[in-house]
Amino acid sequence: MQIDYYYSLAEKNLSEYRFYHSKMVAKAAKELALKYGADSAKAELAGILHDITKEMPINNQLQLLEDNGIMLDSVTKSSEKILHAVSGAAYAEFELRINDRDVIDAIRFHTTAKADMTLLQKIVFVADFISEDRSYPDIEIMRQEAEKSLEQGMKYALSFVIKSLVSQGRCIHPDAIDAYNEIIMKGI
Ligand SMILES: [Fe+2]
Ligand SMILES: [Fe+2]
């Protein structure tokens, strides 16, 4: 399938606001792929699809997962924000029949990250934080960190997310802790 097909699909499945966000993440992912030596076509594909189920009703997301035998851990079950990453990956794999595991896992882990991410997976995770449509107080610092290295970008993003979840009294997915610990233990 041509990339244009996935852009049309994202446009059909998403609100104008989120379609624009997805286009900007695809653009940022493509640019990071060129900078850091990953496959830019795969980065663009994962970027345009990363939030593809974010506006799907929760029950439909849960049904999609159940139909495909995907079990959810308790933290994911309690968090819509993580759920859309898991259902988005299932949608890409089972509905769109995308057979590239790295692209599917880049969607799967774009919210939590995890330890041992591939270059493509790190790129999509970071692209979601630095895309042109984003505006939050630390965005310029975040972009500078991502410019230094993907790991620096991930460290900043994970610290930001973990701190904000703690301040809101919310759960932190173990994959996010694993990703954070891996970076700290590497001395980044
Ligand atoms: Fe997302
Ligand atoms: Fe996103």
Side-chain angles (χ1 to χ4, degrees), residues 6 19 112 135 151 168:
Y6 298 108
F19 175 52
T112 57
S135 62
E151 282 72 23
Q168 295 168 60

Side-chain angles (χ1 to χ4, degrees), residues 106-174:
I107 300 170
R108 168 69 184 78
F109 296 103
H110 86 264
T111 305
T112 57
K114 70 175 183 93
D116 281 326
M117 287 175 103
T118 64
L119 186 57
L120 184 75
Q121 292 160 24
K122 289 178 186 170
I123 281 171
V124 175
F125 178 80
V126 170
D128 200 15
F129 280 88
I130 63 165
S131 57
E132 279 173 31
D133 59 302
R134 290 290 199 199
S135 62
Y136 50 88
D138 286 358
I139 182 75
E140 285 314 321
I141 304 172
M142 177 65 220
R143 287 187 177 132
Q144 282 164 18
E145 293 304 301
E147 188 65 29
K148 288 183 207 159
S149 77
L150 278 177
E151 282 72 23
Q152 291 288 137
M154 287 197 60
K155 182 181 176 184
Y156 197 85
L158 284 162
S159 306
F160 179 91
V161 168
I162 291 170
K163 275 188 266 185
S164 116
L165 288 169
V166 170
S167 73
Q168 295 168 60
R170 292 173 59 195
C171 292
I172 300 163
H173 195 280

Side-chain angles (χ1 to χ4, degrees), residues 18 21-22 25 50-51 54 84 110 128 134:
R18 200 164 308 279
H21 165 67
S22 298
V25 171
H50 80 288
D51 276 344
K54 193 148 183 176
H84 83 280
H110 86 264
D128 200 15
R134 290 290 199 199

Side-chain angles (χ1 to χ4, degrees), residues 3 7 9 34 41 72 84 91 100 105 112 118 123 132 153 164 188:
I3 189 74
Y7 276 83
L9 185 84
L34 292 170
L72 295 176
H84 83 280
Y91 185 84
D100 188 306
D105 281 346
T112 57
T118 64
I123 281 171
E132 279 173 31
S164 116
I188 288 161

